[in-house]
Amino acid sequence: MTTTDPFAGGTRRVAVVTGGSRGIGRAVSRRLADDGLAVVVNYVGDDAAAAETVGAITASGGQAVAVRADVADETAVAALFDRAETEYGGVDVVVNCAARLALSPIAELDLDVLDRLHRTNIRGAFVVAQQAARRLRAGGALVGFSTSVVGTQFPGYGAYVASKGAVEAITLILARELRGRDVTVNAVAPGPTATELFLDGKTEEQVEALAKAPPLERLGSPEDIADVVAFLAGPRGRWVNGQVLRANGGLV
C-alpha cells in the first residue's frame, strides 16, 4: 500500500488556533508558525491583540490571518474553518486554547458565571472538535486543553475543573471515532503557567506558593506549553493518540 507523507515537502500545513491571540494561544500560534505552518489566529474580542499576534508572525516571515469567532457559536466556527480552507487550502492542525476561568467555592458560585464558563469551555470545545473531526486532513492533529487541576483538585476550581474534565472525557472517544483517518486527538493539561488569565486575582504570595509547588520550582511559561503542542501536532508526535499530557513540571 502506498501512502503520501503529509509532512514531506510541498504544501504548507495549516493550523487553526482558537484563543490564539493571547497567553498560551499566542505562544502556540507563534510556535506553529515558526515550524512552518500557516496559522489562522482565532479570537473573540480583542482586535488589537489579534493584530499584534499576526503581525509578530508575519514579521518573522510566517503566514497568519486573524479571524473573530465565538467558539460556542457553531455557525461562527464553521465560518472560521471555511476561512482557513479558502485562505490556505485546508486544515491540518486544530488547537483549542479558547477558555474562561472563574474561581469560587462551589457553594458561592454565581450560576450565571457557571453557564458562561461552561458555554465556552464545554460547548466551545465540542463545537471546535466537531469541525476538526469533519475537516482535518490525513496526517492531522486536534489538540485540546485541559488543566492539571483535574488532578490536584485545588479548592475554588470546581467549575473550571468540571469543564476541563469534559475535555478529557471526549479526547479518547474522538480519537477512536476517527479510526482510519490518520488523525490524532490529544489534550494538554498545563500546570501553573504565567499568563494573564492565571495571574489575574492572585496575590504575590499565592503565585509564589504555586511556583514552588512543582519539583522544578517555577511557573511554566506559555512557550513551555507551546513546545508540547508543537510536538503533538508534528511528525514526532504521531504515535501519541487519545492521551492527556500533563505539562506541569512534576506537579501532583
Side-chain angles (χ1 to χ4, degrees), residues 182-220:
D182 190 24
V183 169
T184 62
V185 182
N186 294 289
V188 177
T193 305
T195 65
E196 290 181 22
L197 183 69
F198 169 77
L199 296 172
D200 184 43
K202 293 184 176 68
T203 66
E204 289 186 16
E205 291 76 15
Q206 289 173 321
V207 171
E208 184 177 353
L210 287 166
K212 291 292 187 182
L216 294 180
E217 295 191 330
R218 68 172 175 86
L219 295 178

Side-chain angles (χ1 to χ4, degrees), residues 22-50:
R22 300 174 64 185
I24 290 173
R26 173 179 287 182
V28 168
S29 295
R30 295 191 65 173
R31 173 57 199 271
L32 293 180
D34 287 345
D35 285 351
L37 282 76
V39 182
V40 179
V41 178
N42 162 254
Y43 70 105
V44 72
D46 192 336
D47 294 330

Side-chain angles (χ1 to χ4, degrees), residues 102-122:
L103 301 180
S104 169
I106 291 170
E108 300 170 13
L109 182 66
D110 183 329
L111 294 182
D112 287 338
V113 172
L114 177 71
D115 289 343
R116 289 194 296 273
L117 185 148
H118 282 186
R119 184 176 186 276
T120 297
N121 294 8
I122 298 179

Side-chain angles (χ1 to χ4, degrees), residues 78-106:
L80 167 66
F81 278 75
D82 287 344
R83 178 70 182 279
E85 291 175 347
T86 300
E87 196 82 23
Y88 298 121
V91 180
D92 302 285
V93 174
V94 175
V95 185
N96 186 35
C97 297
R100 290 178 181 266
L101 173 65
L103 301 180
S104 169
I106 291 170

